[in-house]
């Protein structure tokens, strides 16, 4: 800890993508002796994993959509949320307000600006989110997860700090363990997930893609796949018809241990997923969610694909034949898979939560640039399309 105990407010939307890094930072700051409060919406207050010590304050936050007819109601909600945040700040006296994206961040950061409280945002994806984009010129620092960030103006480069995405402690504990032994005769363990609800396209394509592998490789498969509840029976039947052993479920509590055993991951490209793959060092075939805002999941794959740790397939190209082709290219020789695993591992930023806490602690204490120790002093670069 860099100084006396201080107070910090974290603001995040009610999804796991926003709240998981917020919870990780809260735990780190709490361990360093600080007091932390959370501003979120109704979903976020109930999300599993919230630390017991972290009080959640639910505030209204309207969403300014494309229909102007809805704007007056949304603006009224934002202003009410701002008033509630100001009352919280008057009693809690935070040294800084940290936003993690999502609409509840909007009134909290507006209130921080009105009250003269330092603020910063953390962007989990490789595209600056809409709320973070709005406040980029107003906050004191921008913490990023990737070296290149689309929709980030070059004029804000001096306030950008490459941090990474915090990951769960049980996953981070796996970083120093070797890649599971994979030989030309041994099992090929494949882990397939599609986010918290499972992706239907994975359920439809992956079993048939695995069945198209050469017999010598197909016979060594051992699959673990997360599916939607309504897809379980159909996926189980597909694997049975292909004579491929597969363990299926809608949710796996021991996902960290399954990731530890996996030789290959197939799934979506959310920020938390890629953070965990790079923390542990697991090769992947990534299928970005095509409806993700600003196509941010595809952008998230840029670094790990360029490094050789993953392959990306657009959903409209994600066929059984293409999947089999990519798996065969990775797993036909053991050294190819091991090399990809090491490339993914090299993209990991295991000190993300400590570096983010260091950045946060720099507010209310010594001068910012005197104490910050993140990203080896190298700011994240705006993506090329953002410089045009």
């Amino acid at each position: 800890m860099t100084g006396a105990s201080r107070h910090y407010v974290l603001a995040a939307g009610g999804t796991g993508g926003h709240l998981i890094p917020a919870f990780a930072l809260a735990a780190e700051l709490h361990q360093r002796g600080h007091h932390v409060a959370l501003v979120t919406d109704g979903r976020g207050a109930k999300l599993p994993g919230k630390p017991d010590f972290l009080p959640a304050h639910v505030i209204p936050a309207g969403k300014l959509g494309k229909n102007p007819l809805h704007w007056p109601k949304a603006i009224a909600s934002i202003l009410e949320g701002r008033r509630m945040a100001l009352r919280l700040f008057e009693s809690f006296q935070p040294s800084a307000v940290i936003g993690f994206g999502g609409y509840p961040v909007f009134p909290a950061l507006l209130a921080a600006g009105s009250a003269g409280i330092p603020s910063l945002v953390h962007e989990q994806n490789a595209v600056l989110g809409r709320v973070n984009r709005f406040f980029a010129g107003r906050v004191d620092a921008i913490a990023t997860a990737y070296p290149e960030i689309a929709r980030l103006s070059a004029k804000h480069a001096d306030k950008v700090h490459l941090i990474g995405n915090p990951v769960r402690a049980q996953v981070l504990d796996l970083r120093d363990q070797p890649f599971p032994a994979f030989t030309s005769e041994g099992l090929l363990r494949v882990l397939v997930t599609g986010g918290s609800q499972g992706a239907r396209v994975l359920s439809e394509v992956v079993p048939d893609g695995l069945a198209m592998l050469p017999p010598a490789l197909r016979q060594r498969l051992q699959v673990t796949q997360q599916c939607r509840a309504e897809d379980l029976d159909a996926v189980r039947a597909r694997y049975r018809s292909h004579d491929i052993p597969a363990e299926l479920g809608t949710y796996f509590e021991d996902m960290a241990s399954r990731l530890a055993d996996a030789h290959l991951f197939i799934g979506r490209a959310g920020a938390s997923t890629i953070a965990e793959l790079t923390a542990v060092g697991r090769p992947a075939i990534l299928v970005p969610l095509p409806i993700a805002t600003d196509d941010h999941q595809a952008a998230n794959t840029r670094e790990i694909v360029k490094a050789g740790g993953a392959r990306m397939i657009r959903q409209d190209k994600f066929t059984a034949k293409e999947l089999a082709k990519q798996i065969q290219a990775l797993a036909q020789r053991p050294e190819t898979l091991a090399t990809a695993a090491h490339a993914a591992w090299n993209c990991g930023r295991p000190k993300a939560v400590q570096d983010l806490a260091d950045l946060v602690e720099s507010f209310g204490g010594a001068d910012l640039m005197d104490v910050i120790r993140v990203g080896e002093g190298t700011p994240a670069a705006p993506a090329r399309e953002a410089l045009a």
Side-chain angles (χ1 to χ4, degrees), residues 188-276:
L188 172 60
R189 291 188 290 271
V190 180
L191 175 64
V192 186
T193 75
S196 59
Q197 299 300 317
R200 176 160 291 169
V201 67
L202 298 174
S203 296
E204 294 172 346
V205 173
V206 173
D208 295 345
L210 294 174
M212 295 179 69
L213 292 171
L217 188 57
R218 186 177 70 242
Q219 292 168 7
R220 295 156 50 204
L221 288 170
Q222 187 176 77
V223 181
T224 299
Q225 183 162 349
Q226 178 198 38
C227 308
R228 296 171 184 261
E230 60 267 31
D231 296 336
L232 276 173
D233 290 342
V235 178
R236 188 173 288 113
R238 282 189 174 185
Y239 277 117
R240 190 179 295 119
S241 69
H242 297 316
D243 196 26
I244 295 174
E247 181 183 0
L248 309 179
T250 58
Y251 178 75
F252 296 109
E253 290 187 2
D254 58 340
M255 189 61 77
S257 64
R258 294 174 187 275
L259 185 60
D261 292 337
H263 296 110
L264 178 65
F265 173 88
I266 303 172
R268 291 301 195 193
S272 294
T273 295
I274 292 183
E276 294 193 349

Side-chain angles (χ1 to χ4, degrees), residues 68-387:
L69 294 177
H70 297 159
W71 289 358
K73 183 178 179 180
I75 292 171
S77 181
I78 291 170
L79 293 176
E80 175 58 23
R82 175 180 169 275
R83 285 191 290 269
M84 293 175 64
L86 282 170
R87 289 197 293 270
L88 170 64
F89 298 167
E90 287 174 4
S91 60
F92 194 64
Q93 295 291 303
S95 293
V97 177
I98 302 95
F100 286 87
Y103 287 96
V105 174
F106 203 100
L109 289 181
L110 281 179
S114 298
I117 300 170
S119 60
L120 63 150
V121 294
H122 177 269
E123 178 55 62
Q124 297 89 50
N125 294 297
V127 179
L128 201 64
R130 292 176 181 175
V131 174
N132 286 350
R133 202 180 310 157
F134 179 86
F135 285 101
R138 297 167 172 83
V139 296
D140 297 278
I142 302 170
T144 64
Y146 297 95
E148 293 185 7
I149 305 295
R151 299 293 185 95
L152 173 60
S153 173
K155 65 184 178 182
H156 302 314
D158 61 343
K159 64 172 72 176
V160 175
H161 304 275
L162 178 58
I163 295 287
N165 275 317
V167 301
R168 296 173 292 166
Q170 58 267 43
V171 172
L172 197 57
D173 288 343
L174 303 173
R175 183 165 175 82
D176 293 329
Q177 295 185 15
F179 183 64
F182 176 64
T183 66
S184 56
E185 290 83 27
L187 289 173
L188 172 60
R189 291 188 290 271
V190 180
L191 175 64
V192 186
T193 75
S196 59
Q197 299 300 317
R200 176 160 291 169
V201 67
L202 298 174
S203 296
E204 294 172 346
V205 173
V206 173
D208 295 345
L210 294 174
M212 295 179 69
L213 292 171
L217 188 57
R218 186 177 70 242
Q219 292 168 7
R220 295 156 50 204
L221 288 170
Q222 187 176 77
V223 181
T224 299
Q225 183 162 349
Q226 178 198 38
C227 308
R228 296 171 184 261
E230 60 267 31
D231 296 336
L232 276 173
D233 290 342
V235 178
R236 188 173 288 113
R238 282 189 174 185
Y239 277 117
R240 190 179 295 119
S241 69
H242 297 316
D243 196 26
I244 295 174
E247 181 183 0
L248 309 179
T250 58
Y251 178 75
F252 296 109
E253 290 187 2
D254 58 340
M255 189 61 77
S257 64
R258 294 174 187 275
L259 185 60
D261 292 337
H263 296 110
L264 178 65
F265 173 88
I266 303 172
R268 291 301 195 193
S272 294
T273 295
I274 292 183
E276 294 193 349
L277 291 172
T278 56
V280 179
R282 291 297 178 271
I285 294 174
L286 300 168
V287 187
L289 179 68
I291 61 172
T293 304
D294 296 319
D295 200 24
H296 68 256
Q297 286 205 0
N300 290 348
T301 70
R302 185 188 300 121
E303 182 184 25
I304 188 173
V305 168
K306 183 178 180 181
R311 298 179 178 220
M312 188 267 278
I313 307 175
R314 290 283 188 177
Q315 185 162 309
D316 60 348
K317 306 293 185 183
F318 186 59
T319 63
K321 182 177 180 180
E322 180 62 21
L323 176 62
K325 173 184 173 182
Q326 296 298 339
I327 294 175
Q328 191 172 353
L330 279 168
Q332 197 165 28
R333 288 185 289 274
E335 60 271 19
T336 304
L337 206 59
T339 298
H342 187 66
W345 189 90
N346 280 337
C347 293
R349 296 181 174 87
K351 295 183 178 180
V353 70
Q354 293 97 327
D355 288 343
L356 184 56
D358 287 348
L359 176 58
V360 168
E361 277 190 327
S362 68
F363 292 96
D367 181 78
L368 173 66
M369 297 312 296
D370 288 340
V371 298
I372 189 168
R373 303 185 303 278
V374 297
E376 297 181 354
T378 304
R384 289 185 179 87
E385 59 265 34
L387 297 174

